[in-house]
């Protein structure tokens, strides 16, 4: 048994398909299949049910997968401990982003990060919060940038910025000419929301419910751009993060209005595993992003 065998096993459990698992491990399918069989022979137990066309794990197989994930995470930590990269800001770094942050933040900070840390090789991954949290726990990601939520509490979180949310209405709406709106005006209104799984949905719902507004159950969007287009089509109103809003008050049939009393905001953080040897690296990364944000927000502030 070796580390590579455990990687094959975990990949197979994730992809539930021999060819896809082999591709993820950069080996041929016969190689991966043969190593799994060899692992079974060595352990003296069946890890897979081979009577089906699907990949099904036995109880023993599921138990071994869970333990293999722990072993691989400890190996990653061991590698980090033996590395000086945490201090030198060089080498690979896998960062996860939630979809309501990544497309709007990355273009603003990647050039800055590349200039500040030219020897750092960034690998960027976009997924919903629950997926990022799981990947961070399993060691597949080094750190994640997300809105602070209950699921991220077990990690060390470095605050990056507080992001206001804007009230977004069609250009034909009665509020279209307003530059600011008191949240109490949302009482009795229905707002378009993202589908379940997006943390922004829960955060926006919290502000809406507090103001006496409700979720428009007729439609659930998969992205902020879908929400924006639905508003432009006159299907309703919504809340969008400020970085997803243009500097102009109105653009492409949509008007963006500052909300106040209270101002709805979300805290964006950089999270990493407690005890990680790369703590210094994450702190430097967060510091550069935090310093860049006032200029980023200035670009999105309406005159």
């Amino acid at each position: 048994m070796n580390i590579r065998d455990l990687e094959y096993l975990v990949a197979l459990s994730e992809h539930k398909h021999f060819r896809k698992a082999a591709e993820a491990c950069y080996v041929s399918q016969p190689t991966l299949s043969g190593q799994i069989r060899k692992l079974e022979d060595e352990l003296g137990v069946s890890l897979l049910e081979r009577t089906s066309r699907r990949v099904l794990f036995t109880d023993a197989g599921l138990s071994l997968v869970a333990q293999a994930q722990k072993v691989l995470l400890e190996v990653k930590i061991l590698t980090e401990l033996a590395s000086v990269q945490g201090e030198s800001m060089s080498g690979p770094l896998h960062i996860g982003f939630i979809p309501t942050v990544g497309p709007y933040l990355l273009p603003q900070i990647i050039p800055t990060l590349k200039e500040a840390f030219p020897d750092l090789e960034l690998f960027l991954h976009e997924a919903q919060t629950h997926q990022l949290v799981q990947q961070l726990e399993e060691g597949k990601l080094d750190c994640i940038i997300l809105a602070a939520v209950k699921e991220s509490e077990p990690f060390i979180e470095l605050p990056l910025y507080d992001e206001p949310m804007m009230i977004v209405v069609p250009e034909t709406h009665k509020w279209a000419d307003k530059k600011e709106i008191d949240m109490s005006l949302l009482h009795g209104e229905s707002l378009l929301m993202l589908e379940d799984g997006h943390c922004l949905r829960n955060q926006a719902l919290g502000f809406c419910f507090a103001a006496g507004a409700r979720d428009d159950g007729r439609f659930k969007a998969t992205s902020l751009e879908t929400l924006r287009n639905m508003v432009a089509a006159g299907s309703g109103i919504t809340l969008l993060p400020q970085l997803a809003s243009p500097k102009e008050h109105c653009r492409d049939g949509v008007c963006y209005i500052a909300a106040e009393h209270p101002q709805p905001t979300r805290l964006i953080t950089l999270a990493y595993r407690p005890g990680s040897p790369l703590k210094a690296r994450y702190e430097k990364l967060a510091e550069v992003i935090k310093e860049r944000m006032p200029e980023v927000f200035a670009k999105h502030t309406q005159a």
Side-chain angles (χ1 to χ4, degrees):
M1 187 190 307
N2 56 51
I3 297 301
R4 195 62 173 149
D5 292 339
L6 299 183
E7 291 176 342
Y8 294 156
L9 184 67
V10 170
L12 188 58
S13 73
E14 293 171 352
H15 295 278
K16 301 294 191 295
H17 193 283
F18 274 95
R19 179 180 56 79
K20 292 179 180 178
E23 290 176 350
C25 295
Y26 302 102
V27 296
S28 67
Q29 181 174 330
T31 296
L32 185 140
S33 181
Q35 289 301 112
I36 295 294
R37 177 74 74 175
K38 177 183 175 182
L39 186 60
E40 288 180 311
D41 292 341
E42 183 176 348
L43 295 173
V45 295
S46 295
L47 303 177
L48 305 172
E49 295 181 14
R50 289 182 169 80
T51 58
S52 171
R53 295 177 61 87
R54 297 181 300 164
V55 174
L56 296 176
F57 280 81
T58 62
D59 289 342
L62 292 174
S63 297
L64 188 59
V65 166
Q67 193 62 38
Q69 290 171 331
K70 296 177 183 178
V71 171
L72 293 177
L73 178 56
E74 292 300 321
V75 169
K76 180 178 178 61
I77 294 175
L78 183 65
T79 303
E80 291 175 350
L81 283 171
S83 171
V84 296
Q85 292 177 357
E87 298 290 340
S88 66
M89 298 301 290
S90 64
L93 183 67
H94 292 263
I95 310 177
F97 293 84
I98 55 176
T100 59
V101 166
Y104 314 102
L105 178 65
L106 292 180
Q108 307 295 333
I109 65 169
I110 291 301
T112 301
L113 293 178
K114 287 185 176 180
E115 181 179 355
F117 312 118
D119 296 326
L120 198 61
E121 188 177 6
L122 298 176
F123 294 88
L124 308 175
H125 310 263
E126 183 180 89
Q128 292 186 8
T129 297
H130 69 280
Q131 296 169 315
L132 294 180
V133 166
Q134 181 178 351
Q135 291 172 20
L136 184 59
E137 287 177 341
E138 295 174 351
K140 296 174 184 175
L141 294 175
D142 297 306
C143 62
I144 57 179
I145 293 180
L146 76 170
V149 290
K150 185 175 182 180
E151 292 86 344
S152 60
E153 289 178 357
F155 305 111
I156 303 299
E157 294 187 272
L158 305 176
L160 298 179
Y161 58 92
D162 286 302
E163 182 174 23
M165 284 191 258
M166 311 287 287
I167 296 175
V168 184
V169 303
E171 63 181 1
T172 55
H173 195 274
K174 60 184 178 181
W175 297 338
D177 293 335
K178 293 182 177 293
K179 292 296 181 69
E180 297 177 346
I181 283 184
D182 193 295
M183 285 292 288
S184 63
L185 290 180
L186 292 181
H187 184 80
E189 297 285 337
S190 295
L191 275 74
L192 301 171
M193 294 287 173
L194 292 169
E195 65 181 0
D196 292 338
H198 291 273
C199 63
L200 180 60
R201 169 182 169 79
N202 296 333
Q203 292 162 339
L205 281 174
F207 291 117
C208 290
F209 291 159
R214 59 183 181 274
D215 177 18
D216 189 337
R218 297 171 300 171
F219 179 79
K220 296 290 185 294
T222 58
S223 70
L224 295 186
E225 297 312 307
T226 302
L227 274 183
R228 195 194 316 273
N229 289 330
M230 292 300 292
V231 172
S235 296
I237 65 176
T238 192
L239 289 176
L240 287 184
Q242 186 174 341
L243 293 187
S245 307
K247 184 174 183 178
E248 297 87 351
H249 175 61
C250 294
R251 182 195 286 184
D252 299 328
V254 178
C255 296
Y256 304 85
I257 308 167
E260 56 182 16
H261 303 128
Q263 182 186 58
T265 63
R266 61 175 183 169
L267 174 62
I268 304 300
T269 67
L270 185 150
Y272 64 92
R273 290 180 298 276
S276 172
L278 301 183
K279 173 184 176 181
R281 170 183 286 196
Y282 305 137
E283 290 177 344
K284 292 177 183 177
L285 195 71
E287 181 180 358
V288 169
I289 296 174
K290 194 171 183 178
E291 290 177 352
R292 171 81 172 110
M293 294 315 297
E295 183 179 349
V296 171
F297 277 114
K299 293 181 180 181
H300 291 265
T301 301
Q302 297 175 8

